[in-house]
Amino acid sequence: MKNTIKRSIKYSIFVLGCFFAFSTCQLVEITESSKITCPDIKKSETQGIIVSLKNSIQDIEYVNIYRQDITGSLTEADYTRPIENIGLVFPVGNNTTFVYEDNYVLKNNTYRYYVRLYDKNEGYTLSNWTTGITPRNGIAGNDSDTLRYLPKSNTKLVYNANDKKLVISGTIITPSAIDNFDDKFKPALIFSCSAGTQAISFVSDTENESPIHDGNEIHLLEILPSTFFNTDLEIKGLVGQYEEIEDGNLQRVIWTALSSIPVYDTNERRFPDNKIVIEVKYGAQGYDFSSSL
């Protein structure tokens, strides 16, 4: 039975990085005004990077963590694989250094990382890349698809322009290599337009079913910011999103790798580049009824 009340979907919105720097791990490329040093490798049994923030952190809103799989690459010229935005960290207190442990990777692969912070006064600041890291605490195996949502070959998202909703059509397998995945992660769609790129989580429209069940309706007017309406809006795909909360405060957000899903209209025509336009009409301009001075 449809639960229309639950269509007022609880969601979380976070800025997802779209700009990438391809530089070596040389501190000379970081200016004195920058607030991030190049991430170092954490010397421990777990795989992580140490991020040091320069100066005060009171104006830093969040730090993005980026990862690239460079397994088998011999030189930096070979680093052509996708760069993944895997998390957000919200610095608190006076802690100017934090460790980010990345456990949702393949144990025998090699990865490199960089970070980007957002400062409300200075905007974005980028670090350089780390050297390659082979994790000790990753997932055994050699199939990276086990660490992301895996849509079946005929799975798609159907956009209903009249109702301004997306409907899941087909089967999507949860990341099979992540233990207790459904206890931690929630599904989130990645939307991108000229106003930015954001990860938007969603829930099921039917009680006692997974949010990614076949037929689930995602009502876009209820979850998207207004800046995403009346413009080209790209649906980049699906990620698992895990929010770490401590003492009632959001500490960090962790994302699985992105899985692309094709988008169709209700007449079974595919949208080029997965781009739709959510056309929303606003009220007409009224007349001035202000009091005279």
Side-chain angles (χ1 to χ4, degrees):
M1 177 178 180
K2 302 283 186 179
N3 187 341
T4 56
I5 296 178
K6 284 195 175 181
R7 291 193 322 190
S8 59
I9 299 175
K10 176 187 176 182
Y11 66 95
S12 301
I13 300 176
F14 300 100
V15 177
L16 185 66
C18 302
F19 177 71
F20 302 120
F22 293 86
S23 57
T24 58
C25 190
Q26 300 293 325
L27 287 178
V28 294
E29 295 187 20
I30 301 297
T31 64
E32 277 304 312
S33 62
S34 297
K35 293 184 178 178
I36 296 184
T37 61
C38 189
D40 294 320
I41 299 175
K42 184 180 181 339
K43 304 295 185 180
S44 70
E45 291 303 311
T46 60
Q47 183 241 354
I49 59 172
I50 299 174
V51 181
S52 298
L53 307 177
K54 295 181 179 181
N55 306 325
S56 171
I57 66 169
Q58 62 181 3
D59 295 325
I60 298 174
E61 295 193 1
Y62 55 83
V63 179
N64 285 98
I65 314 294
Y66 298 89
R67 178 183 69 211
Q68 185 182 42
D69 187 337
I70 57 172
T71 305
S73 300
L74 299 178
T75 66
E76 188 167 339
D78 298 328
Y79 297 166
T80 58
R81 295 171 186 169
I83 298 170
E84 300 171 311
N85 191 342
I86 62 170
L88 280 176
V89 176
F90 300 91
V92 294
N94 296 317
N95 297 324
T96 57
T97 297
F98 65 85
V99 175
Y100 188 92
E101 294 184 356
D102 184 19
N103 298 321
Y104 304 112
V105 288
L106 297 179
K107 194 170 186 178
N108 296 320
N109 284 20
T110 302
Y111 304 88
R112 66 175 186 163
Y113 298 82
Y114 83 87
V115 297
R116 181 190 73 170
L117 71 79
Y118 180 74
D119 183 296
K120 67 180 77 172
N121 295 317
E122 299 184 16
Y124 294 116
T125 302
L126 300 174
S127 78
N128 293 302
W129 286 104
T130 65
T131 56
I133 302 171
T134 300
R136 299 179 182 177
N137 201 35
I139 305 296
N142 57 9
D143 187 359
S144 60
D145 283 344
T146 63
L147 295 166
R148 70 178 77 208
Y149 282 111
L150 186 61
K152 290 292 186 69
S153 59
N154 61 344
T155 299
K156 57 185 178 245
L157 297 172
V158 178
Y159 176 57
N160 185 317
N162 291 326
D163 295 336
K164 309 296 187 296
K165 67 183 179 182
L166 287 172
V167 180
I168 297 175
S169 175
T171 301
I172 302 174
I173 301 173
T174 58
S176 58
I178 301 179
D179 292 336
N180 302 317
F181 176 81
D182 289 333
D183 294 337
K184 292 183 177 181
F185 288 85
K186 306 300 180 186
L189 285 170
I190 307 301
F191 297 90
S192 183
C193 69
S194 58
T197 303
Q198 297 184 358
I200 312 291
S201 64
F202 59 93
V203 298
S204 177
D205 66 347
T206 305
E207 283 197 67
N208 303 318
E209 286 202 65
S210 165
I212 59 169
H213 72 264
D214 180 33
N216 188 34
E217 298 180 352
I218 304 166
H219 293 261
L220 300 179
L221 295 184
E222 299 177 4
I223 68 172
L224 288 175
S226 60
T227 52
F228 281 23
F229 302 148
N230 299 313
T231 187
D232 286 339
L233 180 64
E234 180 184 359
I235 303 172
K236 288 184 169 292
L238 178 70
V239 298
Q241 177 172 285
Y242 172 41
E243 299 175 9
E244 284 189 357
I245 298 176
E246 184 176 321
D247 298 329
N249 297 314
L250 182 62
Q251 302 295 318
R252 64 183 63 193
V253 179
I254 298 171
W255 290 302
T256 64
L258 180 68
S259 295
S260 178
I261 305 177
V263 182
Y264 287 75
D265 64 17
T266 53
N267 294 315
E268 299 187 354
R269 294 174 299 193
R270 184 168 180 177
F271 286 96
D273 301 320
N274 275 10
K275 289 184 178 179
I276 65 174
V277 177
I278 304 174
E279 295 182 352
V280 177
K281 294 182 179 179
Y282 297 97
Q285 181 70 34
Y287 298 105
D288 185 359
F289 194 69
S290 58
S291 300
S292 60
L293 295 177

